[in-house]
Amino acid sequence: MNANNEGDGDGIQSTKTSFEIIHALQDIGPARLSEIASHLDFAESTTHRHLRTLQDLRYVSREGERYQIGLRFSRLGRAAQTRDPAYEMAKPHIQTIAEKTEERAQFVAEDHGLGIYLHVETGDRGVHVGFGVGRQIHLHGSSSGKAILANYPREYVDEIFDRWELPALTENTITDREELYEELEAVRERGVAFNREEHVEGVNGTAVPVKRDGKVLGALAVAGPSHRLTGDWFEKELPNMMLATANELELNLTYSTPGSADDHLVE
Amino acid sequence: MNANNEGDGDGIQSTKTSFEIIHALQDIGPARLSEIASHLDFAESTTHRHLRTLQDLRYVSREGERYQIGLRFSRLGRAAQTRDPAYEMAKPHIQTIAEKTEERAQFVAEDHGLGIYLHVETGDRGVHVGFGVGRQIHLHGSSSGKAILANYPREYVDEIFDRWELPALTENTITDREELYEELEAVRERGVAFNREEHVEGVNGTAVPVKRDGKVLGALAVAGPSHRLTGDWFEKELPNMMLATANELELNLTYSTPGSADDHLVE
DNA sequence: GTATTAATTCCACATGGTGGAAATCGGTTG
DNA sequence: CAACCGATTTCCACCATGTGGAATTAATAC
């Protein structure tokens, strides 16, 4: 909830540098020291020291003379995906939706003003867009995002819009604040959000929020080719099915014990 | 392949500190500044600065006054799990095995001398031990680990044993080097590894290596209650089924295009 | 209102991160 | 076998910047 206008000047420099290197590895894949250093325009000695540190931590490993992301990150990724047990409880519902609809079903949560795919189930017919688990998306251009934003206080929505702005992802993306506020108002009333090729050309979507004692946890969403997601199926039946699923999930959430055990072994 | 006896003295201190804080959050869950600081015995001001830096990076977020792991880590976790496209290709085979056997099936890869669960499919009857995706295990005490080690050069195996030692995980764990070398030799000949309650009491397992042009990528494994995994089923039929699956997977691997596209959006 | 507790900011000091230069390593070639 | 790369790794001196104690602010209870 802090406006947090990008602490660019302060913060711990070497931590940022280490993560820049990690991001470079994430982006360009296995790479040699010199590639990484020149890619980021860092001194090779500096890059080397960071890589060695990250290697000691097991967050970077090497295959011969190339550095790459360490598998240890899958542990942290998992920790993120399960930081709230509710996220895991959404998974079977996503699977059900994917089976029933034969379309791509997703569970999206918000963090730092972005949407993050926590579960993705691509039915046999489901569209294969390049958005897998862990992917981060702008909230204003997706059904899930709108379902979430619609349940946030206006001021927080504003912070998010300030921070990430409203880039046009396709020519249908709503990029006008006032228009978006109205859209969110409508979503709040209907309880359902739609996305008509606002995120990716040729892809429609619809989403419903998932709440736990009043607070939004994320959104269940379905995405598919715009030619298949049309008419009553898209506007009525699909949303109703999803509302029912969300409702069921919400019941699970309220009646489940909030505790969750986890053991520690090799860290 | 570097012996790398824990660079404890050198390395970039602040990067290590940042990750210590991240690990604390991973372990103790959402926590306040003062808890984290006292848990790690760091000054609060220092802890605060690291947390703010990590927050700027979106790797830490706050719920009210508690800090927690940021969902952004799921992206890195995903990057790790897909750093080799072969890992993903193993997934459907794991599902098949889980269905056929009705036991827990896993795909494990090695990094930094540890085994890491990359896919876990728990059949309906499958045992629920606390080892999910991302979990790190000692190689010497699991069937997957032994299947992998059996295909490594002796010197590398030694490095791993030196680094992680051979703790007794249960009273059945093989903790003697010579005995382990012999066991690995047998695994290499048979092409199959067994685990008879060496990792967890009451849990047996069997694993086969998965190779791509001669190099081990990981292992397919099945684990289940020791009373169910016995006799010919455990020692013959199950291994044969898994060998067949691994073989099929290996064929997929050799005849698939090594390239893989990935797009970049919000990072 | 005041007391209490925790989070945040400030600050002076010296730790330790930095990049250029030198040394080492691993191949390749004459 | 020696000379020569290209790349990685280590060294080193400078000073940027990370550090923890103390002061300040914020939040909440009394």
Side-chain angles (χ1 to χ4, degrees), chain A residues 3-128:
Chain A
N4 205 0
N5 26 333
E6 289 311 84
D8 229 35
D10 48 1
I12 292 179
Q13 202 47 49
S14 9
T15 296
K16 291 186 180 175
T17 304
S18 279
F19 272 104
E20 281 194 66
I21 289 172
I22 290 164
H23 293 155
L25 290 177
Q26 187 193 75
D27 291 343
I28 65 182
R32 343 187 42 141
L33 171 67
S34 48
E35 297 180 66
I36 303 167
S38 70
H39 180 78
L40 295 167
D41 205 32
F42 293 159
E44 290 192 345
S45 52
T46 304
T47 311
H48 180 258
R49 213 129 88 83
H50 278 271
L51 282 168
R52 214 163 57 59
T53 306
L54 291 168
Q55 230 186 312
D56 285 350
L57 289 166
R58 285 184 279 129
Y59 285 113
V60 160
S61 46
R62 15 193 338 184
E63 175 84 25
E65 50 200 350
R66 319 200 89 110
Y67 292 90
Q68 61 182 335
I69 291 280
L71 293 186
R72 191 179 187 184
F73 269 120
S74 61
R75 178 94 170 81
L76 279 172
R78 202 57 204 156
Q81 284 160 6
T82 56
R83 73 176 194 190
D84 188 326
Y87 296 158
E88 279 301 284
M89 298 180 66
K91 188 168 187 184
H93 294 272
I94 289 300
Q95 289 172 327
T96 313
I97 294 178
E99 279 168 32
K100 278 196 199 168
T101 62
E102 293 187 288
E103 299 285 1
R104 181 190 152 105
Q106 310 151 347
F107 179 74
V108 174
E110 179 265 344
D111 203 4
H112 288 278
L114 294 174
I116 288 153
Y117 290 114
L118 292 183
H119 303 297
V120 173
E121 206 67 47
T122 311
D124 300 328
R125 300 197 311 167
V127 282
H128 280 275

Side-chain angles (χ1 to χ4, degrees), chain A residues 183-203:
Chain A
E183 170 87 352
L184 294 181
E185 179 61 30
V187 170
R188 201 175 312 125
E189 281 168 16
R190 274 198 311 261
V192 176
F194 293 101
N195 153 18
R196 299 163 202 273
E197 303 199 40
E198 295 157 39
H199 191 185
V200 178
E201 312 265 354
V203 175

Side-chain angles (χ1 to χ4, degrees), chain A residues 7-19 50, chain B residues 12-15 17-18 21 45-54 56-57:
Chain A
D8 229 35
D10 48 1
I12 292 179
Q13 202 47 49
S14 9
T15 296
K16 291 186 180 175
T17 304
S18 279
F19 272 104
H50 278 271
Chain B
I12 292 178
Q13 203 46 52
S14 9
T15 296
T17 305
S18 279
I21 289 172
S45 51
T46 303
T47 311
H48 180 258
R49 213 131 89 83
H50 278 271
L51 282 167
R52 214 162 57 59
T53 305
L54 291 167
D56 285 351
L57 289 166

Side-chain angles (χ1 to χ4, degrees), chain A residues 100-101 192 194 206 208 230-245:
Chain A
K100 278 196 199 168
T101 62
V192 176
F194 293 101
T206 177
V208 295
T230 50
D232 263 11
W233 164 242
F234 180 52
E235 288 172 21
K236 299 272 164 59
E237 297 167 42
L238 188 50
N240 282 338
M241 202 208 83
M242 294 173 66
L243 281 171
T245 311

Side-chain angles (χ1 to χ4, degrees), chain B residues 252-265:
Chain B
N252 292 352
L253 294 180
T254 16
Y255 292 117
S256 69
T257 44
S260 91
D262 211 352
D263 49 312
H264 314 296
L265 292 163

Side-chain angles (χ1 to χ4, degrees), chain B residues 183-224:
Chain B
E183 169 87 355
L184 294 181
E185 179 61 30
V187 170
R188 200 175 313 125
E189 280 167 18
R190 275 199 310 261
V192 176
F194 293 101
N195 153 18
R196 299 164 204 272
E197 305 199 39
E198 295 158 39
H199 191 184
V200 178
E201 311 265 355
V203 176
N204 281 359
T206 178
V208 297
V210 176
K211 304 184 206 175
R212 184 177 50 198
D213 24 79
K215 284 178 58 188
V216 213
L217 285 171
L220 297 177
V222 162

